[in-house]
Amino acid sequence: MKKVFFSLLAITLLQSSSPKKEQTPNIILIFMDDMGYGDLSCYGAVNYRTPNIDKLASEGIRFTNFLAAQAVCSASRAALLTGCYPNRIGISGALMPYSKNGINSNETTIAEMLKQKGYATGIFGKWHLGHHKEFLPLQHGFDEYVGLPYSNDMWPVYYDGKPATPNQNASTYPVLPLIQNNDKKEEIKTLDDQAKLTTLYTEKAVDFIRKNKKNPFFLYLPHSMPHVPIAVSDKFKGKSKQGLYADLMMEIDWSVGEIMKTLKENGLDKNTLVIFTSDNGPWLNFGNHAGSSGGFREGKGTSFEGGQRVPCIIRWKGTTPEGVVCNKLASTIDILPTIAQISGTELPKNKIDGVDILPLIKGDLSESPRKTFYYYYRKNSLEAVRMGNWKLVFEHKGRSYMNQLPGNDGFAGKAPEDILTPMALYDLRRDPSEQYDVQKLYPEIIAELQKIAEEAREDLGDDLTNRKGKNVRASGLID
């Protein structure tokens, strides 16, 4: 009997002393729409606070040099989910309700990648990678979907919230559908309907977490706002000192708080990686219904820092050090390969452009995983390249908000698309607002950046120099 007892004791001791298998973390990716660098209080916002998001930053890492892949809706989302520059996979601009293309089934999304490890996958919010059935989320790795198929301003409603008249461009749009899985659930017809979206997405996300608390899960929460038209629920209307936009940011902060509270209530707080970022900078010509670029030049739809530098907060309790600020260069295209490394999944077979930034997430700020970045815009125009803190902007015509009077209360001001930008070299360490051209001082830096640009043109092409890339792939296309 004693021998049996001691044998059982030995087995118990061996089991308790052997290393426990590390559990694959849950992943939550919160993706804002047109939220600028200066729209969170931990990034300098004034007259309102975002305490839940600030807490996320205090418990994790706040990036200050984080770039969206491109400063426009569909392109940015395609890049986030595939780890590729969007022009590599044939996605450009913002897909329209009459577009016939979307994400190609040959591309691997984060959701499809995580299916290798048995993750439950859900998306609640804006998709914008094609509205035809073959392009919708359930055909690209997601188990559940509730949200809008494209931007919330693609509807037959004018800026004043009233139905568009035949002489207004908005009248050409179909009614905005709210999709559940592959089918239209209902129609979004008024600003009051839009005011329900942030709460709806949040409630669906919370339900998804509770339902999958015993499984590894990937929750993608791409909010439809603060892309215009902005609308806020009654529980936050008039709560800020800065008007409707700030009210909305307070509601977004509430949403993050609900997510984090649900994780704690279900014992998931320590094993969930949370990423919070934005698809591009603010749509500045909408004035008080637009966000802040935080002092960077220009905004959405441009390759200046105000268009592509966005907030990014990553929090993974027990792995990310608390309250760290990371000034290293990183991008949304780096999220997929980083998640692959964390989850032990295989990278896509097709070439990607992202790099693994897990060392930065773990707090090793001596590392610099990303050395360069390509600023593409429009269909395939290489408008700038970056190496560390050096940025070379090439001559191009494009959008500018400078010297234009913005709109107000939901109406758009002018933002001409044909302003000529001359070639210039900027030292972003000293001049983050891109005001002082230093080409004449650093010809050797220009030579290095030109080599990087040439590599980009050979690989991905460049409409500005009439180059076709060797390694670009087509988007999906319906017959």
Side-chain angles (χ1 to χ4, degrees), residues 144 206-215:
E144 299 179 39
V206 165
D207 289 344
F208 179 81
I209 293 169
R210 289 174 178 158
K211 185 170 60 178
N212 291 287
K213 62 184 178 182
K214 294 183 179 179
N215 315 316

Side-chain angles (χ1 to χ4, degrees), residues 300-327:
K300 171 182 177 173
T302 78
S303 295
F304 288 103
E305 294 300 289
Q308 289 189 239
R309 198 182 298 203
V310 292
C312 179
I313 297 166
I314 300 179
R315 186 256 201 196
W316 184 10
K317 196 166 185 177
T319 300
T320 50
E322 295 190 355
V324 169
V325 175
C326 178
N327 299 319

